[in-house]
Each structure stands twice: as structure tokens, then as C-alpha cells.
């Protein structure tokens, strides 16, 4: 009645209620991004530089989302120098060591690098579960290979450079053939001359920087 937008609160709570009703988790936590710069900006000041500011109608709803999480008595995770993905990665690291089954609720592909026999990702928007088999079917790679794959392809939404001219198919082929960035660059001299080889040689530093930017911090105190 006051013209306050509520679509984000409504959408968030719809998913949260669905998790509680359908999944009935024994443990549950919600991770939030920080508003300011994080450690990745110190590695690469242009990180996320091309991302538009959060729309005002969404920003005004975030306090109510957090109030709702508190009202449900669900643990909130937030850290001024880390992103939500790093907090999730650290929880995953802690709980898989306790032989727990973990389900990450997100549509963020970067979190797929955490998938294992004990860890799955559920995207509630598409209602798709990504386990090791799902990752293999989508990318042609094992979850532990995704970090090096993402380092080659980059991520335009986060302004992560990657290697120009190396798309998903080429990146998957290279990682399958050479196993890792180190394996790829260690054997680059033997690769047949091509535009791909030229781009790899020219943008070596960007590839390794991209991997550092995409790699999730699994050591945050949670």
C-alpha cells in the first residue's frame, strides 16, 4: 500500500519455504555478499568493474530479506572481505570433513567446483541437481577440473579476463588433454602453431590471474 517493492523478499521466501518443506535439512545457513570491495579487488582492481549497481528496488529489500532469515532463526553468514561463495565453500570444506552430505542451493556456476560425491548443487529455479555426473554431462569435465576450465574461458559478468579466443569447447578439450593449466603451459611449446596457441602464449598471466580470482576461499572462519 506504500509502494514498497516486495518481489525479491517474496521470491527469496518462496524458495526458503520450499527448501524447508521439500528438503527438510538438518542444518541450514544463508550466505550474503558484502556491499564493499573484497580480497579479489586487491588482486585485480577491475574485478566486477563492468557490473551495474544493484537496482534501487532490490537494494531496499535486502534488510527485509535478512530480517526474514533471522525470524526463521537460520544462521546468517557474512564477511566484509569475502563473497558469499567463499563462505559457502568454507562451510562445505568444514562439513565434508565431518562426513556430511551437503547441498548448495544456488544457480552460480562458480560453486560447481565444490561438487563431489558428498556435495551437490541444487538450482531451485531450474529444479536441477548437479552432482559429479551432472557436471560431467554438462561440461565434459570432472568438478575438480572446472577451476582451470573457468580460468581459460573467463567470466564477462565478473570482468574476469580468461584467454581471448578460448571458448567453452576449446577450453574443455585443452583441460581434458593436458589435465591442468600447469600441464597445458608446461607442454605449450609442443603444441601445433595456431591462433589458440598464440593467444595462450600471449595471455598466460591472465589465465593464472583468472584462476586466482575464480578459486573459492575455503578457509574462512565460519
Amino acid at each position: 500500500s506504500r509502494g514498497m517493492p516486495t518481489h525479491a523478499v517474496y521470491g527469496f521466501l518462496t524458495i526458503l519455504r520450499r527448501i524447508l518443506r521439500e528438503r527438510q535439512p538438518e542444518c541450514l545457513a544463508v550466505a550474503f555478499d558484502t556491499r564493499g570491495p573484497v580480497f579479489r579487488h586487491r588482486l585485480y582492481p577491475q574485478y566486477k568493474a563492468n557490473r551495474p549497481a544493484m537496482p534501487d528496488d532490490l537494494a531496499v529489500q535486502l534488510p527485509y530479506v535478512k530480517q526474514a532469515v533471522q525470524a526463521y532463526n537460520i544462521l546468517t553468514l557474512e564477511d566484509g572481505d569475502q563473497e558469499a561463495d567463499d563462505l559457502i565453500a568454507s562451510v562445505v570444506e568444514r562439513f565434508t570433513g565431518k562426513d556430511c552430505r551437503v547441498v548448495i542451493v544456488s544457480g552460480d556456476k562458480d560453486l560447481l567446483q565444490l561438487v563431489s560425491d558428498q556435495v551437490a548443487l541444487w538450482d531451485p529455479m531450474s529444479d536441477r541437481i548437479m552432482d559429479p555426473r551432472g557436471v560431467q554431462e554438462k561440461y565434459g569435465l570432472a568438478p575438480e577440473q572446472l577451476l582451470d576450465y573457468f580460468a581459460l574461458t573467463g567470466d564477462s559478468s565478473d570482468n574476469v579476463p580468461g584467454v581471448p579466443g578460448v571458448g567453452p569447447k576449446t577450453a574443455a578439450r585443452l583441460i581434458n588433454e593436458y589435465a591442468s593449466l600447469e600441464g597445458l603451459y608446461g607442454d605449450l611449446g609442443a603444441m601445433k602453431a595456431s591462433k589458440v596457441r598464440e593467444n595462450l602464449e600471449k595471455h598466460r598471466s591472465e589465465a593464472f590471474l583468472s584462476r586466482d580470482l575464480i578459486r573459492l576461499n575455503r578457509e574462512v572462519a565460519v
Side-chain angles (χ1 to χ4, degrees), residues 51-71:
R51 181 171 291 193
M54 183 183 294
D56 291 341
D57 66 341
L58 176 56
V60 75
Q61 295 179 71
L62 280 181
Y64 295 95
V65 171
K66 292 181 179 181
Q67 284 182 38
V69 173
Q70 292 168 2

Side-chain angles (χ1 to χ4, degrees), residues 16-25 28 72 74:
L16 179 59
R17 288 161 63 88
R18 186 178 169 198
I19 293 168
L20 295 170
R21 181 178 66 250
E22 296 179 11
R23 303 288 168 168
Q24 298 180 353
L28 182 64
Y72 270 93
I74 295 170

Side-chain angles (χ1 to χ4, degrees), residues 132-150:
R133 181 177 178 181
V135 171
Q136 183 69 44
E137 288 175 353
K138 182 171 182 176
Y139 293 95
L141 298 164
E144 57 269 21
Q145 295 176 297
L146 287 180
L147 177 58
D148 287 351
Y149 164 85
F150 291 147

Side-chain angles (χ1 to χ4, degrees), residues 10 34 46 63 125 140 143 146-147 155 157 191 196-197 219:
Y10 176 76
T34 182
Q46 291 80 36
M125 304 303 289
L146 287 180
L147 177 58
D155 188 338
S157 66
M191 185 185 292
V196 169
R197 174 179 164 176
E219 299 179 356

Side-chain angles (χ1 to χ4, degrees), residues 10 19-20 28 33 40 49 51 81 97 108 129 134 143 153 166 184:
Y10 176 76
I19 293 168
L20 295 170
L28 182 64
D33 276 327
R40 290 181 178 87
R51 181 171 291 193
D81 196 44
D108 188 342
I129 290 279
T153 60
V166 177
L184 170 60

Side-chain angles (χ1 to χ4, degrees), residues 110-207:
D110 288 344
L111 290 165
L112 290 173
Q113 59 188 280
L114 300 172
V115 168
S116 69
D117 291 337
Q118 286 181 258
V119 182
L121 183 143
W122 175 46
D123 183 348
M125 304 303 289
S126 63
D127 197 24
R128 183 177 184 181
I129 290 279
M130 292 293 282
D131 55 12
R133 181 177 178 181
V135 171
Q136 183 69 44
E137 288 175 353
K138 182 171 182 176
Y139 293 95
L141 298 164
E144 57 269 21
Q145 295 176 297
L146 287 180
L147 177 58
D148 287 351
Y149 164 85
F150 291 147
L152 291 173
T153 60
D155 188 338
S156 59
S157 66
D158 287 345
N159 203 32
V160 175
V163 176
V166 177
K169 288 185 178 179
T170 301
R173 175 177 60 80
L174 291 171
I175 297 303
N176 268 317
E177 185 174 348
Y178 296 98
S180 66
L181 279 189
E182 285 79 6
L184 170 60
Y185 278 98
D187 210 22
L188 196 60
M191 185 185 292
K192 185 173 67 174
S194 66
K195 187 64 177 177
V196 169
R197 174 179 164 176
E198 182 183 325
N199 284 340
L200 287 168
E201 289 173 338
K202 186 177 179 181
H203 298 281
R204 184 184 191 280
S205 61
E206 287 96 324

